[in-house]
DNA sequence: TACTTTATTGTATGTACTTGCTGTAAAGAT
DNA sequence: ATCTTTACAGCAAGTACATACAATAAAGTA
């Protein structure tokens, strides 16, 4: 399966289906500056379980928002980075983040 | 309960907790131009069940992103509109929407 | 009296999401 | 031979999200 978008009623719906989910935004955000390995992501996205990290990374990959690059080494090494489409989302996530920061202070 | 944000690990997390969910983005979006009654919202957000609409509206209200105004009439009349905080999210949702539209064409 | 309209609420049921925990491969170091 | 490291996979279990369907209040109209 290429991705799991069901049937979007509108573009807003579609976009939220693609970057919704508990960790997708955060993962995209920490990848904004380049390549991160699985373990680095795990440390960067505090609180995520390995299971969820793997699962979410797979979804983002199937959705073509990130790229997974495997190095044939032992112990294994896998690097993740944003695709061009994924990079386009960074400004929005940045805005959301600013809004969130402001709100967190207000409360 | 004022809202149901658990413990945000970062601002991105926080923001997604507040506008995540299957219908929140769409509801905020259709409210961008002013006031809508419950029934109008139901027609605007195609596919939502009355139960989910009520529930989501309550969450958005508890989160202070929308305002609920009740008119003491029979049959009942209730109008919903964005708060200032809610309005701040509209540009962001608009951008997401543009991205989504573009993506929908690309696929 | 029965019917209509509007904005819900309640109960039951179902599906999707998320977590916790254990296990694996394979090379290199001790 | 055992231990370490890295990046996962599998399974059971719980929680959250979502749907379907029935029901309510209360004034106005037929």
């Amino acid at each position: 399966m290429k991705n799991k978008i069901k049937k979007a009623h509108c573009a807003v719906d579609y976009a939220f289906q693609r970057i919704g989910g508990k960790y997708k935004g955060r993962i995209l955000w920490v990848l904004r500056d380049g390549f991160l390995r699985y373990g680095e992501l795990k440390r960067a996205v505090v609180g995520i379980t390995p299971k969820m990290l793997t699962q979410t990374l797979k979804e983002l990959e199937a959705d073509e928002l990130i790229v997974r690059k495997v190095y044939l080494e032992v112990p294994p090494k896998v690097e993740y980075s944003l695709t061009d489409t994924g990079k386009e989302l960074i400004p929005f996530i940045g805005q959301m983040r600013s809004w969130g920061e402001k709100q967190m202070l207000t409360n």
Side-chain angles (χ1 to χ4, degrees), chain A residues 64-81:
Chain A
E64 293 170 69
L65 297 179
I66 65 171
V67 175
R68 179 185 138 104
K69 188 175 180 185
V70 181
Y71 294 83
L72 292 177
E73 302 176 3
V74 172
K77 175 176 174 181
V78 183
E79 275 184 350
Y80 294 90
S81 59

Side-chain angles (χ1 to χ4, degrees), chain A residues 2 4 8 10 14 19 24 26 46 49-51 57 60-61 66-67 69-70 74 81-82 85 98 100 105-106:
Chain A
K2 192 171 180 185
K4 58 173 179 97
C10 68
Y14 176 91
I19 70 161
K24 286 188 180 175
R26 288 171 74 192
V46 178
T49 59
K51 183 72 192 275
L57 287 170
L60 290 170
E61 195 198 357
I66 65 171
V67 175
K69 188 175 180 185
V70 181
V74 172
S81 59
L82 298 177
T85 306
S98 304
L105 293 176
T106 303

Side-chain angles (χ1 to χ4, degrees), chain A residues 17-82:
Chain A
Q17 280 188 48
R18 260 182 99 166
I19 70 161
K22 194 164 180 180
Y23 299 106
K24 286 188 180 175
R26 288 171 74 192
I27 291 176
L28 294 173
W29 183 247
V30 299
L31 282 174
R32 71 191 178 285
D33 293 320
F35 297 77
L36 286 181
R37 298 181 61 175
Y38 180 88
E40 293 172 323
L41 276 168
K42 190 159 157 23
R43 281 186 288 280
V45 182
V46 178
I48 198 170
T49 59
K51 183 72 192 275
M52 276 308 293
L53 179 54
T54 301
Q55 195 175 304
T56 309
L57 287 170
K58 269 187 187 166
E59 288 176 19
L60 290 170
E61 195 198 357
D63 246 0
E64 293 170 69
L65 297 179
I66 65 171
V67 175
R68 179 185 138 104
K69 188 175 180 185
V70 181
Y71 294 83
L72 292 177
E73 302 176 3
V74 172
K77 175 176 174 181
V78 183
E79 275 184 350
Y80 294 90
S81 59
L82 298 177

